[in-house]
Amino acid sequence: MPEEYIIEVKDLGKNFDGLEVLKSIDLQVKKGEVVAIIGPSGSGKSTFLRCINQLETATKGDIYFDGVDLLKDKIDINKIRQKMGMVFQQFNLFPHLTIEKNITIGPMKLLGKSAAEAEAECDRLLEMVGLADKKHAYPSSLSGGQKQRIAIARALAMNPEVILFDEPTSALDPEMVGEVLQVMKDLAKTGITMLVVTHEMGFAREVASKVIFMDNGYIACEGTPTEVFENNENERVKAFLQKVL
């Protein structure tokens, strides 16, 4: 696999009880790219992301990450996931731990960081997501938007090479969406590789370097935001965009 691709997916397929959810997906992602994955509900977007992270096991194909085939080579998936952060719809914070503990527990247990190192990084990340004053709070005291920003900080604390976002704003009240998208926009400028399943077309258009449109388990269209949103002749994509824009 050429070195410039941090992720390369070849002929990926996924069946659930005989139902073909992903059908021969091919995708190449370069380091530093922001890839927005759009398309109708049920098109396989989240399943695709979960296969990359190995939360779902693909039925066929290859997924290369840093040159390693996650489906064929003998790997320690927990080591892989340290390099590939994931932000979910539902935050998945530990309710019984403070925000600081939520963010520092992974780096201390898995990366071997000292408490002082982990706390210093936690402070930096909380500043970055605009929640430095919530360090000693518990998740139950936060809004949905604040929880999602903490979830992003927690993912970054592991110093990943890639972050996968699975519809990170879909569970939020509309007025909280903007604060999370702003953090993601700022993050994109740092050069980290991002794959984002999203219904936020403005974000895809403004921030993504590549947009892929999925429909019925396939990638039906792939290109720059201009190519997908403005110069697209694919009738299925045009029909979808007419409904959501």
Side-chain angles (χ1 to χ4, degrees):
M1 184 177 81
E3 281 186 15
E4 72 262 29
Y5 297 130
I6 191 167
I7 293 173
E8 187 168 18
V9 177
K10 295 182 178 179
D11 192 31
L12 188 73
K14 173 64 178 176
N15 293 350
F16 285 110
D17 298 325
L19 178 66
E20 205 175 9
V21 178
L22 299 179
K23 307 166 185 175
S24 193
I25 300 276
D26 293 293
L27 180 68
Q28 296 169 329
V29 180
K30 293 181 179 178
K31 289 183 179 179
E33 274 195 308
V34 177
V35 181
I37 305 170
I38 65 171
S41 296
S43 58
K45 304 184 299 296
S46 292
T47 299
F48 177 41
L49 214 62
R50 291 170 69 85
C51 282
I52 292 175
N53 187 269
Q54 295 290 279
L55 291 171
E56 299 285 357
T57 303
T59 309
K60 66 167 186 171
D62 298 279
I63 301 169
Y64 293 93
F65 176 62
D66 271 350
V68 176
D69 190 338
L70 303 186
L71 301 184
K72 304 281 171 62
D73 297 337
K74 287 186 177 179
I75 59 164
D76 180 344
I77 190 57
N78 292 319
K79 285 271 171 42
I80 295 292
R81 287 188 185 135
Q82 289 174 24
K83 299 180 182 179
M84 194 188 297
M86 189 153 183
V87 176
F88 300 88
Q89 295 177 35
Q90 298 295 345
F91 328 129
N92 292 4
L93 300 175
F94 295 114
H96 62 292
L97 299 180
T98 64
I99 298 310
E100 180 183 45
K101 292 292 186 189
N102 264 281
I103 293 173
T104 58
I105 189 171
M108 289 170 65
K109 281 195 169 183
L110 300 173
L111 302 183
K113 287 192 174 185
S114 69
E117 285 177 311
E119 286 168 21
E121 181 66 356
C122 172
D123 290 345
R124 184 186 74 81
L125 292 169
L126 286 175
E127 192 74 43
M128 190 192 93
V129 300
L131 292 170
D133 60 328
K134 300 298 183 184
K135 180 176 177 178
H136 301 298
Y138 286 85
S140 60
S141 69
L142 304 184
S143 69
Q146 290 172 330
K147 288 176 186 175
Q148 195 59 292
R149 285 188 278 159
I150 295 299
I152 294 171
R154 181 182 58 182
L156 289 171
M158 296 300 292
N159 197 28
E161 296 176 33
V162 173
I163 298 193
L164 311 177
F165 293 86
D166 186 10
E167 299 191 28
T169 60
S170 66
L172 302 180
D173 291 335
E175 66 268 23
M176 296 175 185
V177 169
E179 64 192 47
V180 173
L181 291 180
Q182 187 57 56
V183 168
M184 293 171 65
K185 288 176 187 177
D186 293 343
L187 189 56
K189 294 172 188 171
T190 69
I192 193 169
T193 308
M194 297 165 61
L195 277 73
V196 186
V197 171
T198 184
H199 292 291
E200 300 293 335
M201 297 301 124
F203 174 86
R205 205 171 198 162
E206 179 186 345
V207 181
S209 47
K210 178 189 291 182
V211 178
I212 67 172
F213 176 85
M214 288 186 64
D215 185 42
N216 195 30
Y218 290 102
I219 292 179
C221 174
E222 176 181 337
T224 65
T226 299
E227 288 167 342
V228 173
F229 285 99
E230 295 172 31
N231 303 331
N232 203 309
E233 295 306 314
N234 183 305
E235 292 301 324
R236 179 67 187 94
V237 180
K238 287 201 287 189
F240 173 80
L241 292 176
Q242 283 172 356
K243 289 180 179 177
V244 299
L245 291 178

